[in-house]
């Protein structure tokens, strides 16, 4: 979706076809992203969904939370225990939670769009589960973008 351009809507059915995933599942995800204001639904014969914000402003955390709700951890203190008395396991899980949250805040959608699939050392790209139908059109002369088993540049 982010590789199509800011004002080029795509239908959920077409996006699911290109991605090789379930239309009904993808429609639910797109619905969540639309309700949270990350996407807008465009009606009509050339309708579909488009991004509301610039991908450079959209964090992975905002995408995860739009789909799954607020990223929280349930620790001992939720049981009324003082923060300094949290058990070792929950102290470790809080560190994991904080780390995951930090990584999701750091990465932006634009970062992922810079290189949508992997580029191998031999200059070929592909072998990535993120590859989708037609993504070879995004391979540029540097080999930094693309999919499939094409040679870079």
């Amino acid at each position: 979706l982010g590789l199509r351009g800011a004002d080029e809507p795509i239908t959920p059915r077409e996006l699911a076809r290109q991605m090789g995933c379930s239309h009904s599942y993808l429609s639910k995800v797109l619905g969540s992203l639309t309700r949270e204001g990350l996407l807008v639904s465009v009606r009509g014969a050339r309708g579909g969904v488009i991004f509301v914000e610039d991908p450079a402003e959209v964090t992975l955390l905002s995408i995860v939370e739009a789909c799954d709700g607020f990223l929280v951890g349930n620790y001992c203190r939720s049981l009324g225990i003082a923060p300094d008395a949290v058990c070792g396991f929950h102290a470790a899980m809080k560190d994991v939670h904080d780390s995951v949250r930090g990584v999701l805040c750091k990465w932006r959608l634009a970062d992922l769009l810079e290189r949508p699939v992997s580029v191998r050392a031999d200059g070929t790209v592909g072998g990535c589960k993120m590859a989708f139908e037609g993504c070879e059109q995004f391979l540029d002369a540097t080999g930094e973008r693309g999919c499939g088993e094409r040679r870079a540049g």
Side-chain angles (χ1 to χ4, degrees), residues 44-102:
R46 294 183 178 246
V49 292
I50 55 174
F51 281 108
V52 171
E53 293 187 46
D54 179 344
E57 302 299 319
V58 179
T59 66
L60 293 188
L61 181 64
S62 65
I63 294 170
V64 168
E65 288 186 340
C67 294
D68 293 333
F70 188 64
L71 188 62
V72 296
N74 189 8
Y75 310 109
C76 294
R77 74 187 123 193
S78 68
L79 302 174
I81 299 171
D84 60 344
V86 174
C87 73
F89 175 78
H90 284 112
M93 291 302 100
K94 179 170 183 340
D95 285 350
V96 169
H97 173 268
D98 292 347
S99 295
V100 168
R101 189 172 182 82

Side-chain angles (χ1 to χ4, degrees), residues 17-129:
R17 186 189 66 73
Q18 288 179 6
M19 294 175 66
C21 67
S22 161
H23 170 258
S24 60
Y25 174 75
L26 184 61
S27 291
K28 290 176 185 175
V29 171
L30 295 175
S32 294
L33 295 172
T34 301
R35 278 188 299 283
E36 291 298 316
L38 295 172
L39 299 178
V40 65
S41 179
V42 177
R43 295 188 183 268
R46 294 183 178 246
V49 292
I50 55 174
F51 281 108
V52 171
E53 293 187 46
D54 179 344
E57 302 299 319
V58 179
T59 66
L60 293 188
L61 181 64
S62 65
I63 294 170
V64 168
E65 288 186 340
C67 294
D68 293 333
F70 188 64
L71 188 62
V72 296
N74 189 8
Y75 310 109
C76 294
R77 74 187 123 193
S78 68
L79 302 174
I81 299 171
D84 60 344
V86 174
C87 73
F89 175 78
H90 284 112
M93 291 302 100
K94 179 170 183 340
D95 285 350
V96 169
H97 173 268
D98 292 347
S99 295
V100 168
R101 189 172 182 82
V103 168
L104 292 174
C105 283
K106 179 183 97 172
W107 281 85
R108 310 261 171 200
L109 183 58
D111 298 326
L112 302 183
L113 296 175
E114 285 294 315
R115 193 171 63 194
V117 294
S118 60
V119 179
R120 296 185 179 123
D122 67 0
T124 60
V125 292
C128 180
K129 293 189 183 247

